Amino acid sequence: MTTTAAFAQIAALMGDPARAGMLDALLDGRALTAAELARAAGVTPQTASSHLARLSEAGLLAVERQGRHRYHRLASPSVARMMESVMAVAADRPPPRRPATGPRDRRLRHARTCYDHLAGHVAVAMADAMVARGQIDLAPDGGALTPEGAAFLRDLGIDLDRSAGGRRVFCRPCLDWSERRPHIAGVLGAALLDGFLARGWLRRLERTRAVEVTPPGRLALARAFGIRDGA
Amino acid sequence: MTTTAAFAQIAALMGDPARAGMLDALLDGRALTAAELARAAGVTPQTASSHLARLSEAGLLAVERQGRHRYHRLASPSVARMMESVMAVAADRPPPRRPATGPRDRRLRHARTCYDHLAGHVAVAMADAMVARGQIDLAPDGGALTPEGAAFLRDLGIDLDRSAGGRRVFCRPCLDWSERRPHIAGVLGAALLDGFLARGWLRRLERTRAVEVTPPGRLALARAFGIRDGA
DNA sequence: CCGATGCTTCGGCCACGCCCGAACCGTCGC
DNA sequence: GCGACGGTTCGGGCGTGGCCGAAGCATCGG
């Protein structure tokens, strides 16, 4: 049964703390250098190099050489989805102890990127608002944009056509590990994140997956989604 | 960052060949005894016992005692979804060698259960047929039943209302590792499998996830989906 | 009560693989 | 050319964890 062996191999690659730290650092979809990933994982560069080689060979990571740097990124969205699903399982177990929420952790819980879409408190609030207004349908298995939702996005200036080429546009629910409730992933989630970043409503922060809601972003989100809690 | 530690722990549990074998054996949604799982994993009962204890404590498995037997099953659908997503990543890498398809493997590739829905060649053909006829929309991120599809299911006698309670019914695509194309999972996939088993069109086989298409099932599938290849 | 069966616990063996120090290659800047 | 820096390869130390034999608990059948 060679297929279970491949299954176990992929899982084992994620199962090492150092590699898990690197993968987590890459989960925002950006490409990082080996040194940055070594720091993220808390190991020396030579250890990181070995891990990165194995992850690349297994097809979890893709590498781009650029001068004397090597940029590593997740090889495909399916890798990100796999990680999300593992986090979902890891999150819905009783926490072994008080999570000890730190200030940095609080930022992550508030708003962060999840590969190509937004996660955290803000993202869940957005999803709730769109569901409450009948703009999207969201079920554990999938979701869909309603006509009202399509109109809403058009008003917001969010462009979905580019990736949806005439086909019906779907969104995908993604269980938020901090909120334990679904936020919007998939094509729709990616379009929302892109649009908000482009408008300057959100800004990526260095060295973390957390994103910041800018002052104009706060106003815009309050107007569009009725979200009015502070940063 | 205690969340990456939990992530790595879950992944590491899947990452051992013996545990992966047990989880795979449970992927059809049934509950098995420790001895059966030990055989499936190719280890002695005492080794299996240790693995099972760890899987249960981590919340991946649930146990039910019944007399002097202990039945183990996957703790939740989210565990099955996690495993599916890992298999999807494991499948879309270049196979290390010729897969060496055996007769038993061929049955699995033809039709098998995938937790609560159908997978394999037959399942992909069903999905293709329904897409071609406009009965479902299927995208990488999600899927939805069209009005035509709802009517089709009604004619087939497939009951979706029980679990969908007035809400819109969604289906979910699930990448088939043998066919490398999506089949139908989610609420719709589960309803189809249940219905076909209840009608005697499909029959579960012992000690494997493979399912058999019965002679009446062959006729019915040909009539309903235009599938006419042999068992 | 006794033995058989299903499963778990204990103890010890062994090896896989994670880790880092040191040395080696390639690119950039001067 | 030379040093500096990013990254990889090599070698050996070491601990975690998988594995089984043997013994210990439960439950069922007689």
Side-chain angles (χ1 to χ4, degrees), chain A residues 13-100:
Chain A
L13 283 171
M14 290 189 290
D16 175 77
R19 288 192 292 261
M22 299 188 195
L23 289 169
D24 183 69
L26 292 169
L27 196 50
D28 64 358
R30 285 182 291 191
L32 301 179
T33 66
E36 289 171 315
L37 289 168
R39 237 176 301 124
V43 294
T44 58
Q46 61 268 35
T47 299
S49 177
S50 159
H51 286 309
L52 291 170
R54 300 179 62 179
L55 289 169
S56 290
E57 198 195 357
L60 296 190
L61 297 186
V63 208
E64 296 163 33
R65 344 189 20 150
Q66 206 162 335
R68 58 178 166 183
H69 292 276
R70 290 205 170 171
Y71 286 95
H72 302 262
R73 60 174 174 79
L74 298 188
S76 75
S78 67
V79 175
R81 270 202 285 276
M82 169 178 71
M83 293 181 59
E84 285 174 11
S85 70
V86 175
M87 289 197 293
V89 170
D92 73 6
R93 319 177 301 154
R97 201 170 294 184
R98 188 58 50 183

Side-chain angles (χ1 to χ4, degrees), chain B residues 13-59:
Chain B
L13 283 172
M14 290 189 290
D16 175 76
R19 285 192 294 261
M22 299 189 198
L23 289 169
D24 184 68
L26 292 169
L27 197 50
D28 63 358
R30 281 182 294 189
L32 301 179
T33 67
E36 288 172 316
L37 290 168
R39 237 177 301 124
V43 294
T44 59
Q46 60 268 34
T47 300
S49 177
S50 159
H51 286 310
L52 291 170
R54 298 178 64 179
L55 289 169
S56 291
E57 198 195 356

Side-chain angles (χ1 to χ4, degrees), chain A residues 169-182:
Chain A
V169 174
F170 296 101
C171 64
R172 185 171 63 85
C174 173
L175 189 65
D176 196 295
W177 57 258
S178 55
E179 299 282 315
R180 306 229 182 157
R181 309 212 356 255

Side-chain angles (χ1 to χ4, degrees), chain B residues 93-181:
Chain B
R93 320 176 300 155
R97 201 168 297 184
R98 188 58 51 185
T101 306
R104 170 179 168 171
D105 205 43
R106 202 172 303 126
R107 278 198 160 172
L108 271 182
R109 287 174 189 279
H110 185 253
R112 65 182 179 276
T113 51
C114 184
Y115 191 60
D116 59 0
H117 58 273
L118 196 66
H121 183 72
V122 171
V124 170
M126 281 173 39
D128 285 346
M130 291 189 72
V131 167
R133 298 174 184 173
Q135 291 162 346
I136 52 173
D137 286 329
L138 221 52
D141 282 339
L145 197 63
T146 64
E148 294 83 6
F152 171 69
L153 293 180
R154 209 176 313 119
D155 292 347
L156 262 183
I158 299 291
D159 178 28
L160 278 168
D161 296 338
R162 124 186 92 85
S163 46
R167 277 200 76 154
R168 172 112 194 228
V169 174
F170 295 101
C171 66
R172 185 169 64 84
C174 173
L175 190 64
D176 196 295
W177 58 257
S178 54
E179 298 284 315
R180 307 230 182 157
R181 305 201 8 247

